[in-house]
Amino acid sequence: MEKTRDKLACRFVETPIGPVTLVADNSALIEARFGGFPISHESAVLDQAERELREYFLRERRAFDVPLAPRGTPFQLSVWEEVRRIPYGETRAYIDVARALGNEKACRAVGRANNHNPLPLFVPCHRVIGRDGSLVGYAGGMAAKKWLLRMEQEQ
C-alpha cells in the first residue's frame, strides 16, 4: 500500500526583517525560509502562521501556537524543542542549551542543529548566543538577529 503524501502549501509574507516564505503540510508548519518569491496558497495552517507572525512583529504575541512539524534528526529535534523553551526577551548560550540536553560537550552540535533550523522565528534560534554574549550566525543575517533581540527586549 502506498502512503499518501501531504499536500504542501506556501505563502510569502513581508516582515520588518525582510520577506519570509512559510511552508505547511495539511496539519502543521514545516518551514519558514528567509526570502522567497511572492506566492500564496490557501491553507488554514498558513493563515494561522501568518496571523501569528504579524502579531509577533506587532509585539502582541510572545509565543506561537501554530502546529509545527520540523523535519530533522532526533538530536536536531531535541535541540529545537529546547530552543523553543527559551522565554521571549531572553537569551541562552549554546552551552546552556547543551547542558539542558544533558551533554555540555555538545555545544558545536547544538550550533549545527541551530544552523539547520527549518523554522526560524517559530523556533527562536535568534535567542541563542555565544558564551561570551556575542551574537553568532543567523540564517536571516546578523542585522535581523540584532533587530529581533532588541525588539523582544524592549517590551
Side-chain angles (χ1 to χ4, degrees), residues 72-83:
T73 67
F75 179 77
Q76 288 172 326
L77 294 172
S78 69
V79 169
W80 300 333
E81 189 57 39
E82 190 59 37
V83 168

Side-chain angles (χ1 to χ4, degrees), residues 56 61-64 80-94 96-97 114 117 120-130 133-138 144-146 148-153 155:
Y56 169 77
R61 173 174 292 279
R62 291 177 171 229
F64 296 100
W80 300 333
E81 189 57 39
E82 190 59 37
V83 168
R84 288 187 71 199
R85 291 186 182 104
I86 303 171
Y88 181 98
E90 295 184 22
T91 58
R92 299 289 185 273
Y94 289 95
D96 297 327
V97 175
N114 245 11
N117 175 8
L121 302 172
F122 297 92
V123 175
C125 57
H126 61 276
R127 297 178 189 157
V128 183
I129 61 174
S134 61
L135 302 184
V136 291
Y138 186 61
K145 184 170 186 163
K146 288 178 189 176
L148 291 166
L149 291 172
R150 191 174 326 113
M151 178 194 79
E152 289 185 4
Q153 290 167 352
Q155 212 174 47

